[in-house]
Amino acid sequence: MLYDCIVVGGGPAGANAALVLGRAKLNVLLIDDDQARNKVTHESHGFITNDRLSPAEIKKRAFNDLLKYPTIH
């Protein structure tokens, strides 16, 4: 498959980039090795509507949102 954009890293910034590009109907490949530096963090702060959620929960919710777009792989 030919991709319009490849995003490296599935953290909040990478997932958001993939979401915006996918919503624009671009073919996006999101690459993530699931080796987050904040794996041991119990709560994240400063993300509106996600305050106090664990980084793992934020990532899970982000990836569930990305699954709605067939142009994001």
Side-chain angles (χ1 to χ4, degrees):
M1 172 174 266
L2 182 63
Y3 295 101
D4 297 303
C5 185
I6 298 173
V7 177
V8 179
N16 189 65
L19 179 65
V20 171
L21 294 164
R23 290 191 67 195
K25 298 185 179 177
L26 297 174
N27 287 316
V28 181
L29 176 63
L30 176 59
I31 299 173
D32 183 63
D33 65 0
D34 202 29
Q35 297 299 315
R37 291 179 289 168
N38 61 359
K39 261 190 175 175
V40 297
T41 303
H42 299 287
E43 293 182 348
S44 290
H45 299 279
F47 290 107
I48 193 158
T49 73
N50 291 310
D51 206 35
R52 298 194 183 274
L53 293 178
S54 71
E57 180 62 23
I58 293 170
K59 185 173 185 174
K60 177 181 158 191
R61 290 179 181 197
F63 275 61
N64 283 335
D65 285 347
L66 296 178
L67 291 173
K68 299 172 187 172
Y69 297 91
T71 60
I72 303 173
H73 306 269

